[in-house]
Amino acid sequence: AAEKLHRHQLLMHWCFEHKDARRLLEVCKRCGPDQSLWVQALSFLASPESGGGHLEEIQEVLRHIEDSDLMPLLLVIETLRHSEEVTIGDVRPYLQAQYKRLVDALATSRGKSSQDRHEIVRMQQEIVQLRTEAKEFQTTRCFQCGLTLDVPAVHFFCGHSYHAYCTPSDGTCPKCSSGALPKLSLKEQREASARNVEDFFKYLQGGAGDHGVQAMGEWCKFGAFDAGLEAGMEAFEDD
């Protein structure tokens, strides 16, 4: 009846009280959408209240947590620390898989970081060239209608040229604006979110284990502290 009413916590508490580890895992499997039940199951099985002797069940829970990416590694280690029977050898496959996952993620992040640095250097060089060197426009056809260019014509630094009557009223390049506008809109949204201090602390307090560090990293990416930096620079300049 409790399962039909989606009262999953009642089933979990019954398993806790009767120290029924197998029934506990059955509840977690049947109540699939509620992934938090697996986290509760690991916490109970690793605690002294479980009565011990649940190594097989702990390993099964860890496999599910790994496959579904439910908990960060540090939180799993902190949870297993309360168990008196679980050894490093018992969870070695899980730890090895998590270590490999971290190494792969680090390699991917370093690759993306290297690409970003090269792109930044390229863009900085392009900016210097635009500021210090004359740019020649040799396009003979309008990128909008395809007809031969005539005066008056509009040339953009991106290299696209148009008839004056083919240029939008907002003065943007029709070919480039479709890709640039969503990025500018996303940047404005992130900057607006970054200035909402209340949401930042709610997000930070909602983290557990190393999620707090991840939360700060996410908001740094959004530019959470750029506003304070800009204000500080303005104050410094005023002084």
Side-chain angles (χ1 to χ4, degrees), residues 3-4 15 19 21-22 24 28 34 37 56 76 102-103 108 112 123 132-133 151 166 171 185 209 223 225 234:
E3 184 176 354
K4 292 181 179 179
C15 295
K19 300 180 180 180
R22 297 313 304 174
L24 180 65
C28 293
D34 191 355
L37 300 182
E56 182 180 346
V76 171
L102 291 173
V103 170
T108 301
K112 291 181 178 179
M123 294 175 67
T132 59
E133 301 177 10
V151 179
C166 290
S185 177
F225 306 107
E234 291 176 358

Side-chain angles (χ1 to χ4, degrees), residues 11-12 14-15 20-28 30:
L11 297 173
M12 296 291 286
W14 185 93
C15 295
D20 192 335
R22 297 313 304 174
R23 185 71 61 85
L24 180 65
L25 296 189
E26 291 177 5
V27 172
C28 293
R30 290 203 304 265

Side-chain angles (χ1 to χ4, degrees), residues 115-131 180 183-184:
Q115 293 178 358
D116 290 342
R117 285 196 297 268
H118 284 94
E119 181 66 14
I120 290 173
V121 171
R122 185 194 65 78
M123 294 175 67
Q124 289 175 338
Q125 292 174 347
E126 185 176 350
I127 291 174
V128 172
Q129 290 177 352
L130 291 174
R131 289 178 175 176
K183 294 180 181 179
L184 291 174

Side-chain angles (χ1 to χ4, degrees), residues 25 38-39 41-43 45-46 54-73 75-80 86-95 97-98 101:
L25 296 189
W38 290 94
V39 179
L42 180 65
S43 179
L45 294 174
H54 306 303
L55 181 58
E56 182 180 346
E57 288 80 6
I58 289 176
Q59 291 174 338
E60 183 175 348
V61 173
L62 286 178
R63 285 194 293 270
H64 183 85
I65 288 176
E66 179 182 355
D67 294 339
S68 304
D69 193 21
L70 295 181
M71 297 173 66
L73 176 60
L75 185 56
V76 171
I77 294 176
E78 176 64 23
T79 303
L80 295 178
V86 177
T87 65
I88 295 294
D90 296 328
V91 295
R92 189 183 303 277
Y94 170 78
L95 296 177
Q98 289 297 305
R101 186 175 182 178

Side-chain angles (χ1 to χ4, degrees), residues 104-159:
D104 293 343
L106 178 60
T108 301
S109 297
R110 284 177 173 173
K112 291 181 178 179
S113 177
S114 178
Q115 293 178 358
D116 290 342
R117 285 196 297 268
H118 284 94
E119 181 66 14
I120 290 173
V121 171
R122 185 194 65 78
M123 294 175 67
Q124 289 175 338
Q125 292 174 347
E126 185 176 350
I127 291 174
V128 172
Q129 290 177 352
L130 291 174
R131 289 178 175 176
T132 59
E133 301 177 10
K135 184 175 179 64
E136 295 183 4
F137 298 95
Q138 299 179 347
T139 304
T140 60
R141 292 187 177 277
C142 174
F143 275 87
Q144 183 70 7
C145 65
L147 299 178
T148 303
L149 283 174
D150 52 20
V151 179
V154 179
H155 303 278
F156 291 91
F157 282 118
C158 59

Side-chain angles (χ1 to χ4, degrees), residues 193-208 211-216 218-219 222 224-225:
S193 299
R195 287 170 172 78
N196 193 329
V197 180
E198 183 177 351
D199 283 350
F200 168 70
F201 282 105
K202 285 182 179 179
Y203 190 59
L204 183 62
Q205 292 171 359
H211 276 322
V213 177
Q214 295 176 3
M216 295 184 68
E218 286 292 318
W219 279 70
F222 295 159
F225 306 107

